Amino acid sequence: VGYRRGNVSSGINAEYGDNKVHTYPPNSHSLIKDLPLYFALVYPDTMQLKGFSLTVTGESVMETWSTKFRGDKILSVATKATNDAVYSQGRVLGDRSVLHKYINPNLIAVAMETGTGDKGHVDILLYDMVSGIQIHTVRHKQYSGPVHLLLAENWMVYHLWSAKLRRYEIVVAEFYISHSSNSTSFSSLLPNLSPYAIQQSYISTTPLSALAVTSTLKSITNRAVLFAESGGRIASIPKQLLDPRRPTVPTAADKYEQLIPYSPLLVTPPVSYLTYNKTLFGIRDMITGSSGIESTSLLFVYGDDLYFTRVTPSKTFDMLNEDFDYYLIGIVLIGLCLGTIATQALADNKALNKKWK
């Protein structure tokens, strides 16, 4: 379990034989004594999801809730990143109305499979790790794994196999509430509005090994969803293409909002690949993080190969180009300074001559 306050991070390792808790670094108890810390664990063998809370002393854990799934196996689990920043609490529509985002940092998504092939189905379940309340559920009949899940802000993306249509599909769902709570922070311990989901699916042309999303300091930069293809390439897809509100026939309000018309096939342009002409073997997962520059997100891919690169979904709007002519701008600044000094001297002489007349 990870915990972060300001610039200090710590990891908590819980030994559940006697519910003893050990922290790393060892002196990090002072960081968590005054805060209730909640987390959840998935037990694939028993098909259970359990929630726990760290006691006030920070030395033991207590089970707060549990649920048992009715399925054959758990395919995938995903939670939000601890540094998942949210720039805007709402989304302004073309008619000037606002969709209020459901921002819950305590969500956990579980993908569960029952049966196989045409007789099977995949359930996507969304829970609150603190209260144990089921937030959202959807069943995909005649679908099967593998399933790759991704949670960020108020949306969820997952990739799965359609046994009936014999193709891979990508599903994106965004969660909103009817009105804003007028609160700067979210609490799962208080009564909250139930969200509603807007969902849309797209056809994927390739199997995936992992999913990730770009991360920046303030999330001002447009986000991109990163696809690790089984063939060893990493693709960067703008989140605007994975918008469940993409209309089939755009209206005037949709055009004003700059929504892209819906197309069922998600095509990846060659320029969207971050690996260029390189192939990465045995990709296990991807890790993203923010850099010191808002426009740039860092990406680390690991598996049989290791790959590290920078991602700029909105281009480098806060950086100068590498071929920027520093000498020219220096000459211009020096010229402006000399011109200012010269014009000041001329103005003083003119004022002095005017007084002698």
Side-chain angles (χ1 to χ4, degrees):
V1 180
Y3 171 76
R4 183 178 182 89
R5 171 187 284 181
N7 296 323
V8 180
S9 298
S10 64
I12 297 176
N13 181 21
E15 297 180 359
Y16 297 103
D18 53 359
N19 285 345
K20 293 294 183 180
V21 175
H22 302 279
T23 59
Y24 180 83
N27 59 353
S28 60
H29 280 88
S30 59
L31 297 176
I32 58 178
K33 277 184 178 180
D34 58 337
L35 288 177
L37 181 61
Y38 297 88
F39 59 96
L41 293 178
V42 178
Y43 298 85
D45 297 336
T46 59
M47 297 292 294
Q48 285 183 304
L49 175 63
K50 295 183 179 182
F52 299 88
S53 66
L54 191 65
T55 58
V56 178
T57 59
E59 297 178 353
S60 62
V61 294
M62 179 179 60
E63 182 178 335
T64 56
W65 60 271
S66 67
T67 183
K68 186 173 179 61
F69 301 123
R70 296 180 179 179
D72 293 341
K73 60 180 178 179
I74 295 175
L75 299 175
S76 181
V77 179
T79 58
K80 289 186 178 181
T82 55
N83 58 346
D84 187 32
V86 178
Y87 174 66
S88 176
Q89 298 288 330
R91 179 171 180 176
V92 181
L93 306 184
D95 58 359
R96 303 300 177 90
S97 61
V98 178
L99 285 177
H100 300 282
K101 298 179 181 179
Y102 178 70
I103 306 297
N104 185 349
N106 306 316
L107 293 178
I108 180 171
V110 180
M112 179 182 60
E113 184 179 27
T114 304
T116 57
D118 295 340
K119 298 182 180 180
H121 61 265
V122 173
D123 293 318
I124 306 296
L125 309 170
L126 201 62
Y127 284 88
D128 188 301
M129 288 189 293
V130 176
S131 63
I133 298 176
Q134 187 180 90
I135 304 298
H136 175 73
T137 179
V138 60
R139 173 168 293 182
H140 298 277
K141 295 182 178 180
Q142 296 181 321
Y143 282 76
S144 62
V147 176
H148 300 283
L149 281 169
L150 176 64
L151 277 176
E153 285 195 31
N154 68 315
W155 48 270
M156 173 175 61
V157 175
Y158 53 94
H159 181 275
L160 71 171
W161 170 255
S162 174
K164 179 181 179 180
L165 301 176
R166 310 297 298 176
R167 69 189 185 191
Y168 289 98
E169 292 186 7
I170 296 174
V171 182
V172 55
E174 292 184 352
F175 304 97
Y176 297 95
I177 53 179
S178 57
H179 61 273
S180 176
S181 60
N182 295 324
S183 176
T184 57
S185 61
F186 182 91
S187 175
S188 297
L189 301 176
L190 299 176
N192 293 288
L193 295 174
S194 299
Y196 62 91
I198 302 176
Q199 183 171 300
Q200 201 169 67
S201 61
Y202 300 88
I203 301 173
S204 177
T205 58
T206 179
L208 300 182
S209 300
L211 276 175
V213 62
T214 55
S215 174
T216 56
L217 288 173
K218 302 296 183 181
S219 288
I220 299 174
T221 304
N222 294 330
R223 289 202 161 186
V225 180
L226 307 177
F227 294 169
E229 299 180 355
S230 298
R233 297 188 298 177
I234 308 296
S236 176
I237 306 297
K239 178 58 176 64
Q240 290 88 333
L241 292 178
L242 293 171
D243 190 340
R245 297 184 58 254
R246 288 177 59 179
T248 305
V249 180
T251 62
D254 295 333
K255 293 179 181 178
Y256 181 81
E257 196 180 342
Q258 298 182 349
L259 291 177
I260 303 173
Y262 176 74
S263 176
L265 181 62
L266 188 65
V267 180
T268 305
V271 294
S272 298
Y273 287 99
L274 305 176
T275 48
Y276 306 103
N277 61 342
K278 296 179 173 58
T279 300
L280 307 179
F281 294 97
I283 297 176
R284 292 177 54 191
D285 204 354
M286 298 182 290
I287 301 174
T288 59
S290 60
S291 64
I293 304 174
E294 173 59 32
S295 65
T296 305
S297 177
L298 304 178
L299 169 64
F300 178 69
V301 185
Y302 64 92
D304 293 346
D305 292 330
L306 302 178
Y307 187 75
F308 181 79
T309 187
R310 295 176 296 178
V311 187
T312 53
S314 300
K315 307 300 181 182
T316 53
F317 60 85
D318 53 357
M319 296 175 59
L320 297 176
N321 296 330
E322 295 181 356
D323 57 349
F324 183 80
D325 197 339
Y326 294 95
Y327 296 103
L328 178 60
I329 194 67
I331 293 173
V332 171
L333 290 176
I334 293 173
L336 289 174
C337 293
L338 295 176
T340 302
I341 296 173
T343 53
Q344 181 65 36
L346 293 175
D348 292 342
N349 290 334
K350 185 177 180 181
L352 181 61
N353 293 332
K354 187 177 180 179
K355 291 180 179 180
W356 280 102
K357 289 182 179 180

